[in-house]
Amino acid sequence: MGIGEPTLPPLEALDAENEMTEYVPSTVIISLDVLLRELKRKLLKDEASTLVLTGPRGCGKTTLAKKICQDKEVKDIFKKSIFFVRVSKRPNLSVIVRKLYQQIEHKGSQILELQEDTIALKWLQIFLKETGQHPSLLVLDDVWPGSEPILDKFDNFKTSDYKILVTSRSEFPTFGSPYYLQSINDEGTMTLSHHSRANSFESLDDEDLVRVSPATSFRAMDDDPTACFCDFSTSYLEDRISHVSEDANLMTHFHDSSASTAGDTSSSVSKDVGTKLPLGNPVKSTQTYKQQKLGLKKEVKKTNRVDDLEQNSLPSSLGGAEDKNDPEAKRWKAENVSDQTSSDYGGRIVKEPMFGMHTISAANIMDDGYSWRKYGQKEQTGYPNLRSYYRCTFQGCPMKKRVDQTSHDSKVVTTTYNGTTHDHGSSSNNMYMPVLELPFQNIEQPTTETQSPYIKGSERFPGL
DNA sequence: CGAGTTTGACCTGCGC
DNA sequence: GCGCAGGTCAAACTCG
Ligand SMILES: [Zn+2]
């Protein structure tokens, strides 16, 4: 799949000096470029997808990393999919993710508030997945000891096309190959040595000194003057981010296997009980009485995916043929279900992790690869919105979503997913994707703002 | 005929 | 306790 998918050029091409001559002529010839070239070589050629650029304060780690981002060869390979984010001493995952998204965002667009790490994690995964469909470079600048969990998240979520360059005063041996950068010397040059491999600097002679443009194009992040990112055009990313992954697991693996907060997002957790259940129990979560009943009804026809829960949770007296007019039957529905679900019958307790996205599509309801059944619709009092309720049609799947459609623009809908997991694959091969998504979280009211700056165009992408 | 949608009734939590 | 609002149910209906 892929739209204008860039492909990595042959590695040999990276050595082609004639490519380097395309730089804007400059009188600045510094041995920094030797380091740049070496680091680039390692970054682009080596199998390792992660590099840790280590050195003392002021040695130019960040400068070098930025130059990497600006390097023409690098840009040719990674196109616009180059990201730079400062992690800092006390990293906040939400802030980091927000900064990443800002780099694909139009100027002046809203700043995403991803207050919960769990939500941020989801969007980080989306970000890495979407941007990582093509060769991508991410610089994690100024990483401090103790940030290993964050590095691990990047490491876990990144695609094989991702290269991650970490700059830090410390080593992260479990994360990537360390490269040591030493202090600036009198000539304003630095030396780079790498730790674990044979040093190839010896092979570099004066001919390896390359011309670089002295012009830099970094700009400060709005909220963090110390954090910069490459000032590249964002069109590519906007295109790439514009359709959601086809990977059915996109919804499935949003949780961080090691994050303690993941358990809190389990859809099966009662707010009052607070017991953590592994995310691997999705069937129990929003299993409504209806679903249970359907489960009993349909399992003879469909693949028997319904597990013991269905039978075990239904009182044998009902025998799967409960009297729907019996108030007691309904009461049982509510009570029984409320013990283990996030959504009491008719109630509005929503304990599911929820995350929403603005989408724009030619059809009101986007096909996200799953099959949904509408089970309700409400007009929103006080809002011109029409809200529709859907649940995944896959037997026992706990996922639900609600779709708020603004009356003034039927093409802009807010989809809020309720639940964390589809514990099954995508059901659709002919998948149409939302043109664009904008993450936000815990939507309690319909989001009434007009199109996000993220949203562009209304074309849809056929499944490729 | 099965799958999905529509739609009014219903349930529940919450605020007053 | 009452009413409102969010969410769900389920019979009737539509569609392929
Ligand atoms: Zn599902």
Side-chain angles (χ1 to χ4, degrees), chain A residues 36 39 53 60-70 84 137 139 141 165 167 218 230:
Chain A
L36 178 71
L39 188 59
L53 186 56
K61 302 182 298 294
T62 298
T63 301
L64 194 53
K66 289 176 181 176
K67 287 222 175 274
I68 286 282
C69 294
Q70 284 297 103
F84 188 104
L137 172 64
V139 176
D141 187 43
L165 175 62
T167 76
F218 295 99
C230 300

Side-chain angles (χ1 to χ4, degrees), chain A residues 370-372 392-394 397-399 421-424:
Chain A
Y370 294 94
S371 176
W372 301 92
C392 182
T393 58
F394 193 92
C397 179
M399 286 294 288
T421 58
H422 288 279
D423 55 348
H424 58 91

